[in-house]
Amino acid sequence: MTKKRRNNGRCKHGRGHVGIVRCTNCARCVPKDKAIKRFLIKNIVEQAAVRDMSEASAYEAYALPKLYIKMTYCISCGIHSKQVHGRSAVERRNRAPPQRFRPKRDDAKK
């Protein structure tokens, strides 16, 4: 039988069994090493209320805390939500991590 991937789509490497996690989207049981893991970082307060909070605050430069949520997706939901995509047989051999997307900041030096 031919193998599609060198690691069989998992990161198990020598472990006989790994625990399961639930998909954030559909609650499917997925092996922890196979799940697609992403951090979602967002402000606790929505953008519309940030200015009101900063004006009402007694502190000058108070940084509002952020919410850090670890999202785990099954393969189906990861592809559907465009977290990952299918690659051709030649591209699957490339094991380098994808290039990170960094949005340009307005206050960057010009």
Short mmCIF file of all heavy atoms in Angstrom, two decimals, residues 3-65:
data_model
loop_
_atom_site.label_atom_id
_atom_site.label_comp_id
_atom_site.label_asym_id
_atom_site.label_seq_id
_atom_site.Cartn_x
_atom_site.Cartn_y
_atom_site.Cartn_z
N LYS A 3 2.01 5.12 0.64
CA LYS A 3 1.78 6.08 1.72
C LYS A 3 1.62 7.46 1.12
O LYS A 3 2.41 7.87 0.28
CB LYS A 3 2.97 6.09 2.69
CG LYS A 3 2.94 4.95 3.68
CD LYS A 3 4.16 4.95 4.54
CE LYS A 3 4.18 6.15 5.44
NZ LYS A 3 5.27 6.08 6.44
N LYS A 4 0.61 8.20 1.57
CA LYS A 4 0.40 9.55 1.07
C LYS A 4 1.34 10.53 1.75
O LYS A 4 1.86 11.44 1.12
CB LYS A 4 -1.05 9.96 1.32
CG LYS A 4 -1.48 11.20 0.57
CD LYS A 4 -2.97 11.40 0.66
CE LYS A 4 -3.41 12.55 -0.21
NZ LYS A 4 -4.85 12.75 -0.15
N ARG A 5 1.57 10.34 3.05
CA ARG A 5 2.42 11.25 3.81
C ARG A 5 3.47 10.48 4.59
O ARG A 5 3.20 9.38 5.07
CB ARG A 5 1.59 12.09 4.79
CG ARG A 5 0.77 13.12 4.10
CD ARG A 5 -0.15 13.83 5.07
NE ARG A 5 -1.05 14.69 4.33
CZ ARG A 5 -2.14 14.28 3.73
NH1 ARG A 5 -2.51 13.03 3.80
NH2 ARG A 5 -2.89 15.14 3.07
N ARG A 6 4.62 11.10 4.77
CA ARG A 6 5.73 10.47 5.50
C ARG A 6 5.34 10.21 6.96
O ARG A 6 5.72 9.21 7.55
CB ARG A 6 6.93 11.42 5.42
CG ARG A 6 8.12 10.98 6.18
CD ARG A 6 9.24 11.97 6.02
NE ARG A 6 10.30 11.73 6.99
CZ ARG A 6 11.42 12.39 7.03
NH1 ARG A 6 11.65 13.34 6.16
NH2 ARG A 6 12.31 12.11 7.94
N ASN A 7 4.55 11.12 7.55
CA ASN A 7 4.18 10.97 8.96
C ASN A 7 2.74 10.49 9.14
O ASN A 7 2.22 10.54 10.25
CB ASN A 7 4.38 12.30 9.70
CG ASN A 7 3.50 13.40 9.15
OD1 ASN A 7 2.76 13.20 8.19
ND2 ASN A 7 3.57 14.57 9.74
N ASN A 8 2.11 10.06 8.08
CA ASN A 8 0.72 9.58 8.11
C ASN A 8 -0.25 10.64 8.65
O ASN A 8 -1.28 10.31 9.21
CB ASN A 8 0.59 8.30 8.93
CG ASN A 8 1.41 7.17 8.35
OD1 ASN A 8 1.42 6.98 7.14
ND2 ASN A 8 2.13 6.46 9.18
N GLY A 9 0.10 11.89 8.52
CA GLY A 9 -0.78 12.98 8.96
C GLY A 9 -0.79 13.18 10.46
O GLY A 9 -1.68 13.81 11.00
N ARG A 10 0.22 12.64 11.15
CA ARG A 10 0.26 12.75 12.61
C ARG A 10 1.67 13.10 13.07
O ARG A 10 2.62 13.01 12.29
CB ARG A 10 -0.17 11.44 13.25
CG ARG A 10 -1.58 11.04 12.83
CD ARG A 10 -2.07 9.82 13.50
NE ARG A 10 -2.20 10.03 14.94
CZ ARG A 10 -2.86 9.22 15.72
NH1 ARG A 10 -3.45 8.17 15.23
NH2 ARG A 10 -2.94 9.45 17.01
N CYS A 11 1.80 13.47 14.33
CA CYS A 11 3.10 13.80 14.92
C CYS A 11 3.39 12.86 16.08
O CYS A 11 3.92 13.28 17.10
CB CYS A 11 3.12 15.24 15.41
SG CYS A 11 2.72 16.42 14.15
N LYS A 12 3.05 11.60 15.94
CA LYS A 12 3.10 10.65 17.05
C LYS A 12 4.51 10.16 17.34
O LYS A 12 4.91 10.09 18.49
CB LYS A 12 2.18 9.48 16.73
CG LYS A 12 1.77 8.67 17.91
CD LYS A 12 0.55 7.84 17.59
CE LYS A 12 0.76 6.89 16.46
NZ LYS A 12 1.26 5.59 16.86
N HIS A 13 5.25 9.76 16.33
CA HIS A 13 6.67 9.37 16.39
C HIS A 13 7.06 8.59 17.63
O HIS A 13 7.61 9.13 18.59
CB HIS A 13 7.56 10.59 16.26
CG HIS A 13 7.38 11.33 14.98
ND1 HIS A 13 7.47 10.71 13.75
CD2 HIS A 13 7.06 12.61 14.72
CE1 HIS A 13 7.24 11.58 12.78
NE2 HIS A 13 6.98 12.76 13.35
N GLY A 14 6.73 7.32 17.67
CA GLY A 14 7.19 6.45 18.74
C GLY A 14 6.21 6.28 19.88
O GLY A 14 6.37 5.40 20.70
N ARG A 15 5.21 7.12 19.97
CA ARG A 15 4.20 6.95 21.01
C ARG A 15 3.15 5.98 20.48
O ARG A 15 2.72 6.09 19.34
CB ARG A 15 3.53 8.28 21.35
CG ARG A 15 4.40 9.23 22.10
CD ARG A 15 3.63 10.52 22.37
NE ARG A 15 4.53 11.64 22.38
CZ ARG A 15 4.94 12.31 21.33
NH1 ARG A 15 4.53 11.98 20.13
NH2 ARG A 15 5.76 13.32 21.44
N GLY A 16 2.73 5.08 21.31
CA GLY A 16 1.74 4.13 20.86
C GLY A 16 0.35 4.73 20.77
O GLY A 16 -0.42 4.46 19.86
N HIS A 17 0.03 5.60 21.73
CA HIS A 17 -1.31 6.15 21.80
C HIS A 17 -1.23 7.58 22.29
O HIS A 17 -0.38 7.89 23.13
CB HIS A 17 -2.15 5.32 22.78
CG HIS A 17 -3.58 5.75 22.86
ND1 HIS A 17 -4.03 6.59 23.84
CD2 HIS A 17 -4.65 5.46 22.09
CE1 HIS A 17 -5.33 6.81 23.66
NE2 HIS A 17 -5.73 6.14 22.60
N VAL A 18 -2.05 8.44 21.76
CA VAL A 18 -2.12 9.82 22.25
C VAL A 18 -3.57 10.12 22.63
O VAL A 18 -4.50 9.48 22.13
CB VAL A 18 -1.63 10.86 21.21
CG1 VAL A 18 -0.15 10.74 20.99
CG2 VAL A 18 -2.39 10.71 19.91
N GLY A 19 -3.73 11.10 23.49
CA GLY A 19 -5.08 11.47 23.93
C GLY A 19 -5.87 12.16 22.83
O GLY A 19 -5.34 12.49 21.76
N ILE A 20 -7.13 12.37 23.11
CA ILE A 20 -7.99 13.03 22.13
C ILE A 20 -8.32 14.43 22.60
O ILE A 20 -8.29 14.74 23.80
CB ILE A 20 -9.30 12.24 21.89
CG1 ILE A 20 -10.08 12.10 23.20
CG2 ILE A 20 -9.02 10.91 21.27
CD1 ILE A 20 -11.55 11.91 23.01
N VAL A 21 -8.61 15.29 21.65
CA VAL A 21 -9.15 16.61 21.92
C VAL A 21 -10.42 16.76 21.09
O VAL A 21 -10.64 16.01 20.14
CB VAL A 21 -8.14 17.74 21.58
CG1 VAL A 21 -6.96 17.72 22.51
CG2 VAL A 21 -7.71 17.65 20.13
N ARG A 22 -11.22 17.72 21.46
CA ARG A 22 -12.45 17.96 20.71
C ARG A 22 -12.25 19.11 19.74
O ARG A 22 -11.64 20.14 20.07
CB ARG A 22 -13.59 18.32 21.67
CG ARG A 22 -14.04 17.18 22.53
CD ARG A 22 -14.73 16.12 21.70
NE ARG A 22 -15.43 15.17 22.54
CZ ARG A 22 -16.56 14.59 22.17
NH1 ARG A 22 -17.11 14.85 21.02
NH2 ARG A 22 -17.12 13.73 22.98
N CYS A 23 -12.79 18.98 18.55
CA CYS A 23 -12.75 20.05 17.56
C CYS A 23 -13.59 21.21 18.09
O CYS A 23 -14.69 21.02 18.61
CB CYS A 23 -13.30 19.55 16.23
SG CYS A 23 -13.48 20.84 14.98
N THR A 24 -13.05 22.42 17.97
CA THR A 24 -13.75 23.60 18.46
C THR A 24 -15.01 23.87 17.67
O THR A 24 -16.00 24.38 18.21
CB THR A 24 -12.81 24.82 18.35
OG1 THR A 24 -11.58 24.50 18.97
CG2 THR A 24 -13.40 26.03 19.02
N ASN A 25 -15.00 23.49 16.41
CA ASN A 25 -16.12 23.81 15.53
C ASN A 25 -17.24 22.78 15.59
O ASN A 25 -18.41 23.13 15.76
CB ASN A 25 -15.59 23.94 14.10
CG ASN A 25 -16.58 24.58 13.18
OD1 ASN A 25 -17.37 25.42 13.58
ND2 ASN A 25 -16.56 24.17 11.93
N CYS A 26 -16.89 21.50 15.47
CA CYS A 26 -17.93 20.47 15.35
C CYS A 26 -17.91 19.45 16.49
O CYS A 26 -18.72 18.54 16.49
CB CYS A 26 -17.79 19.75 14.02
SG CYS A 26 -16.31 18.75 13.89
N ALA A 27 -16.98 19.57 17.44
CA ALA A 27 -16.86 18.69 18.61
C ALA A 27 -16.51 17.26 18.25
O ALA A 27 -16.77 16.34 19.01
CB ALA A 27 -18.13 18.73 19.45
N ARG A 28 -15.88 17.04 17.11
CA ARG A 28 -15.43 15.71 16.75
C ARG A 28 -14.20 15.34 17.58
O ARG A 28 -13.38 16.19 17.89
CB ARG A 28 -15.06 15.67 15.27
CG ARG A 28 -14.45 14.35 14.82
CD ARG A 28 -14.02 14.39 13.39
NE ARG A 28 -15.18 14.21 12.53
CZ ARG A 28 -15.16 14.37 11.21
NH1 ARG A 28 -14.08 14.77 10.61
NH2 ARG A 28 -16.25 14.17 10.51
N CYS A 29 -14.08 14.07 17.97
CA CYS A 29 -12.89 13.60 18.68
C CYS A 29 -11.75 13.46 17.67
O CYS A 29 -11.90 12.77 16.66
CB CYS A 29 -13.15 12.23 19.31
SG CYS A 29 -14.23 12.31 20.73
N VAL A 30 -10.63 14.12 17.96
CA VAL A 30 -9.47 14.10 17.08
C VAL A 30 -8.25 13.75 17.93
O VAL A 30 -8.12 14.26 19.04
CB VAL A 30 -9.24 15.48 16.42
CG1 VAL A 30 -8.20 15.40 15.33
CG2 VAL A 30 -10.52 16.05 15.88
N PRO A 31 -7.33 12.92 17.43
CA PRO A 31 -6.09 12.70 18.18
C PRO A 31 -5.35 14.03 18.35
O PRO A 31 -5.31 14.84 17.43
CB PRO A 31 -5.30 11.74 17.30
CG PRO A 31 -6.30 11.12 16.40
CD PRO A 31 -7.40 12.10 16.23
N LYS A 32 -4.78 14.24 19.52
CA LYS A 32 -4.16 15.53 19.84
C LYS A 32 -3.03 15.87 18.87
O LYS A 32 -2.84 17.03 18.52
CB LYS A 32 -3.62 15.49 21.27
CG LYS A 32 -3.10 16.82 21.74
CD LYS A 32 -2.59 16.75 23.15
CE LYS A 32 -2.01 18.09 23.54
NZ LYS A 32 -1.36 18.03 24.84
N ASP A 33 -2.29 14.87 18.41
CA ASP A 33 -1.19 15.15 17.51
C ASP A 33 -1.66 15.41 16.08
O ASP A 33 -0.92 16.00 15.30
CB ASP A 33 -0.19 14.00 17.53
CG ASP A 33 -0.82 12.69 17.10
OD1 ASP A 33 -2.01 12.49 17.37
OD2 ASP A 33 -0.12 11.86 16.49
N LYS A 34 -2.85 15.01 15.74
CA LYS A 34 -3.37 15.21 14.39
C LYS A 34 -4.15 16.52 14.26
O LYS A 34 -4.26 17.08 13.17
CB LYS A 34 -4.27 14.04 14.00
CG LYS A 34 -4.69 14.04 12.56
CD LYS A 34 -5.43 12.78 12.20
CE LYS A 34 -5.62 12.70 10.70
NZ LYS A 34 -6.09 11.39 10.29
N ALA A 35 -4.67 17.01 15.35
CA ALA A 35 -5.52 18.21 15.33
C ALA A 35 -4.73 19.43 14.84
O ALA A 35 -3.53 19.54 15.06
CB ALA A 35 -6.07 18.48 16.72
N ILE A 36 -5.43 20.33 14.18
CA ILE A 36 -4.84 21.59 13.72
C ILE A 36 -5.02 22.59 14.85
O ILE A 36 -6.15 22.88 15.25
CB ILE A 36 -5.53 22.06 12.43
CG1 ILE A 36 -5.35 21.02 11.33
CG2 ILE A 36 -5.00 23.40 12.01
CD1 ILE A 36 -6.33 21.14 10.22
N LYS A 37 -3.91 23.10 15.37
CA LYS A 37 -3.95 23.96 16.55
C LYS A 37 -3.60 25.39 16.16
O LYS A 37 -2.58 25.63 15.52
CB LYS A 37 -2.98 23.44 17.62
CG LYS A 37 -3.40 22.07 18.15
CD LYS A 37 -2.34 21.40 18.95
CE LYS A 37 -1.33 20.64 18.16
NZ LYS A 37 -1.79 19.44 17.50
N ARG A 38 -4.44 26.34 16.56
CA ARG A 38 -4.22 27.76 16.29
C ARG A 38 -4.56 28.56 17.54
O ARG A 38 -5.51 28.24 18.25
CB ARG A 38 -5.11 28.25 15.15
CG ARG A 38 -4.87 27.57 13.82
CD ARG A 38 -3.58 28.07 13.18
NE ARG A 38 -3.41 27.53 11.85
CZ ARG A 38 -2.73 26.43 11.55
NH1 ARG A 38 -2.18 25.73 12.51
NH2 ARG A 38 -2.60 26.02 10.32
N PHE A 39 -3.81 29.62 17.78
CA PHE A 39 -4.12 30.55 18.86
C PHE A 39 -4.94 31.69 18.30
O PHE A 39 -4.56 32.31 17.31
CB PHE A 39 -2.85 31.10 19.51
CG PHE A 39 -2.46 30.37 20.75
CD1 PHE A 39 -1.34 29.57 20.77
CD2 PHE A 39 -3.21 30.49 21.91
CE1 PHE A 39 -0.98 28.90 21.91
CE2 PHE A 39 -2.86 29.81 23.06
CZ PHE A 39 -1.74 29.02 23.05
N LEU A 40 -6.05 32.00 18.95
CA LEU A 40 -6.88 33.14 18.60
C LEU A 40 -6.65 34.20 19.67
O LEU A 40 -6.92 33.96 20.84
CB LEU A 40 -8.35 32.73 18.55
CG LEU A 40 -9.36 33.85 18.25
CD1 LEU A 40 -9.17 34.34 16.82
CD2 LEU A 40 -10.76 33.36 18.45
N ILE A 41 -6.10 35.33 19.26
CA ILE A 41 -5.81 36.42 20.19
C ILE A 41 -6.73 37.58 19.85
O ILE A 41 -6.69 38.09 18.73
CB ILE A 41 -4.33 36.86 20.07
CG1 ILE A 41 -3.41 35.66 20.29
CG2 ILE A 41 -4.03 37.96 21.06
CD1 ILE A 41 -1.98 35.92 19.92
N LYS A 42 -7.57 37.96 20.80
CA LYS A 42 -8.46 39.07 20.55
C LYS A 42 -8.65 39.87 21.83
O LYS A 42 -8.38 39.39 22.94
CB LYS A 42 -9.80 38.61 20.00
CG LYS A 42 -10.60 37.70 20.90
CD LYS A 42 -11.89 37.28 20.21
CE LYS A 42 -12.76 36.47 21.12
NZ LYS A 42 -14.01 36.10 20.49
N ASN A 43 -9.09 41.11 21.68
CA ASN A 43 -9.30 41.97 22.82
C ASN A 43 -10.53 41.50 23.60
O ASN A 43 -11.49 41.00 23.03
CB ASN A 43 -9.52 43.42 22.38
CG ASN A 43 -8.27 44.02 21.80
OD1 ASN A 43 -7.16 43.72 22.22
ND2 ASN A 43 -8.42 44.88 20.81
N ILE A 44 -10.49 41.70 24.92
CA ILE A 44 -11.63 41.34 25.75
C ILE A 44 -12.80 42.28 25.45
O ILE A 44 -13.96 41.87 25.40
CB ILE A 44 -11.24 41.39 27.25
CG1 ILE A 44 -10.33 40.20 27.56
CG2 ILE A 44 -12.47 41.36 28.14
CD1 ILE A 44 -9.83 40.16 28.98
N VAL A 45 -12.48 43.55 25.22
CA VAL A 45 -13.51 44.56 24.92
C VAL A 45 -13.55 44.76 23.41
O VAL A 45 -12.51 44.80 22.76
CB VAL A 45 -13.15 45.89 25.61
CG1 VAL A 45 -14.21 46.93 25.36
CG2 VAL A 45 -12.96 45.67 27.09
N GLU A 46 -14.75 44.89 22.85
CA GLU A 46 -14.85 45.11 21.40
C GLU A 46 -14.29 46.48 21.04
O GLU A 46 -14.17 47.36 21.88
CB GLU A 46 -16.28 44.93 20.89
CG GLU A 46 -17.24 46.01 21.32
CD GLU A 46 -18.01 45.63 22.56
OE1 GLU A 46 -17.74 44.58 23.15
OE2 GLU A 46 -18.87 46.43 22.95
N GLN A 47 -13.94 46.65 19.79
CA GLN A 47 -13.23 47.84 19.32
C GLN A 47 -14.02 49.13 19.55
O GLN A 47 -13.44 50.17 19.82
CB GLN A 47 -12.92 47.68 17.82
CG GLN A 47 -11.83 48.58 17.32
CD GLN A 47 -10.48 48.32 17.97
OE1 GLN A 47 -10.17 47.20 18.32
NE2 GLN A 47 -9.72 49.35 18.18
N ALA A 48 -15.33 49.07 19.49
CA ALA A 48 -16.15 50.28 19.66
C ALA A 48 -16.06 50.83 21.08
O ALA A 48 -16.13 52.05 21.30
CB ALA A 48 -17.60 49.96 19.31
N ALA A 49 -15.89 49.96 22.06
CA ALA A 49 -15.89 50.40 23.45
C ALA A 49 -14.49 50.70 24.00
O ALA A 49 -14.37 51.17 25.13
CB ALA A 49 -16.54 49.34 24.31
N VAL A 50 -13.44 50.46 23.21
CA VAL A 50 -12.08 50.67 23.70
C VAL A 50 -11.85 52.14 24.01
O VAL A 50 -11.26 52.49 25.05
CB VAL A 50 -11.05 50.15 22.66
CG1 VAL A 50 -9.64 50.58 23.03
CG2 VAL A 50 -11.12 48.64 22.57
N ARG A 51 -12.30 53.04 23.14
CA ARG A 51 -12.08 54.47 23.36
C ARG A 51 -12.83 54.96 24.60
O ARG A 51 -12.30 55.73 25.40
CB ARG A 51 -12.52 55.27 22.13
CG ARG A 51 -11.99 56.68 22.14
CD ARG A 51 -12.19 57.36 20.80
NE ARG A 51 -12.81 58.66 21.06
CZ ARG A 51 -13.99 59.04 20.64
NH1 ARG A 51 -14.72 58.24 19.88
NH2 ARG A 51 -14.48 60.21 20.93
N ASP A 52 -14.06 54.49 24.79
CA ASP A 52 -14.83 54.87 25.97
C ASP A 52 -14.13 54.40 27.25
O ASP A 52 -14.09 55.13 28.24
CB ASP A 52 -16.24 54.26 25.90
CG ASP A 52 -17.02 54.77 24.71
OD1 ASP A 52 -16.69 55.87 24.22
OD2 ASP A 52 -17.93 54.06 24.27
N MET A 53 -13.59 53.20 27.22
CA MET A 53 -12.90 52.65 28.38
C MET A 53 -11.63 53.45 28.69
O MET A 53 -11.33 53.72 29.85
CB MET A 53 -12.52 51.19 28.15
CG MET A 53 -13.69 50.27 27.99
SD MET A 53 -14.25 49.51 29.50
CE MET A 53 -12.84 48.63 30.04
N SER A 54 -10.88 53.83 27.65
CA SER A 54 -9.63 54.56 27.87
C SER A 54 -9.91 55.96 28.42
O SER A 54 -9.15 56.49 29.23
CB SER A 54 -8.81 54.64 26.59
OG SER A 54 -9.53 55.32 25.59
N GLU A 55 -11.01 56.59 27.98
CA GLU A 55 -11.37 57.91 28.49
C GLU A 55 -11.85 57.83 29.94
O GLU A 55 -11.57 58.73 30.75
CB GLU A 55 -12.46 58.54 27.62
CG GLU A 55 -11.97 58.99 26.26
CD GLU A 55 -13.10 59.47 25.37
OE1 GLU A 55 -14.28 59.39 25.79
OE2 GLU A 55 -12.81 59.90 24.24
N ALA A 56 -12.54 56.78 30.31
CA ALA A 56 -13.07 56.63 31.65
C ALA A 56 -12.03 56.11 32.64
O ALA A 56 -12.23 56.18 33.85
CB ALA A 56 -14.28 55.69 31.63
N SER A 57 -10.91 55.60 32.13
CA SER A 57 -9.89 54.99 33.00
C SER A 57 -9.13 56.05 33.78
O SER A 57 -8.87 57.16 33.30
CB SER A 57 -8.92 54.19 32.14
OG SER A 57 -7.90 53.67 32.94
N ALA A 58 -8.76 55.73 35.00
CA ALA A 58 -7.97 56.64 35.84
C ALA A 58 -6.49 56.59 35.46
O ALA A 58 -5.75 57.52 35.76
CB ALA A 58 -8.14 56.27 37.31
N TYR A 59 -6.07 55.52 34.80
CA TYR A 59 -4.67 55.37 34.41
C TYR A 59 -4.46 55.96 33.01
O TYR A 59 -5.33 55.88 32.15
CB TYR A 59 -4.26 53.90 34.42
CG TYR A 59 -4.41 53.26 35.78
CD1 TYR A 59 -5.48 52.43 36.06
CD2 TYR A 59 -3.47 53.50 36.77
CE1 TYR A 59 -5.62 51.85 37.31
CE2 TYR A 59 -3.59 52.92 38.03
CZ TYR A 59 -4.67 52.10 38.29
OH TYR A 59 -4.80 51.52 39.52
N GLU A 60 -3.27 56.52 32.80
CA GLU A 60 -2.98 57.15 31.51
C GLU A 60 -2.83 56.11 30.39
O GLU A 60 -3.54 56.14 29.41
CB GLU A 60 -1.69 57.98 31.62
CG GLU A 60 -1.84 59.24 32.44
CD GLU A 60 -2.81 60.24 31.81
OE1 GLU A 60 -2.79 60.39 30.57
OE2 GLU A 60 -3.60 60.85 32.55
N ALA A 61 -1.86 55.23 30.56
CA ALA A 61 -1.58 54.24 29.51
C ALA A 61 -1.90 52.85 30.03
O ALA A 61 -1.00 52.07 30.35
CB ALA A 61 -0.12 54.34 29.09
N TYR A 62 -3.16 52.54 30.11
CA TYR A 62 -3.57 51.22 30.57
C TYR A 62 -3.80 50.33 29.36
O TYR A 62 -4.63 50.65 28.49
CB TYR A 62 -4.84 51.31 31.42
CG TYR A 62 -5.33 49.96 31.89
CD1 TYR A 62 -4.62 49.24 32.83
CD2 TYR A 62 -6.49 49.41 31.37
CE1 TYR A 62 -5.05 48.01 33.27
CE2 TYR A 62 -6.94 48.17 31.79
CZ TYR A 62 -6.21 47.48 32.74
OH TYR A 62 -6.64 46.25 33.16
N ALA A 63 -3.05 49.25 29.27
CA ALA A 63 -3.22 48.30 28.17
C ALA A 63 -4.31 47.31 28.55
O ALA A 63 -4.20 46.61 29.56
CB ALA A 63 -1.92 47.58 27.90
N LEU A 64 -5.35 47.27 27.74
CA LEU A 64 -6.44 46.33 28.00
C LEU A 64 -5.95 44.90 27.79
O LEU A 64 -5.20 44.62 26.85
CB LEU A 64 -7.61 46.60 27.06
CG LEU A 64 -8.42 47.86 27.37
CD1 LEU A 64 -9.36 48.16 26.24
CD2 LEU A 64 -9.18 47.68 28.67
N PRO A 65 -6.34 43.97 28.66
CA PRO A 65 -5.88 42.59 28.50
C PRO A 65 -6.52 41.94 27.27
O PRO A 65 -7.59 42.33 26.82
CB PRO A 65 -6.34 41.91 29.79
CG PRO A 65 -7.43 42.75 30.30
CD PRO A 65 -7.16 44.15 29.84
#
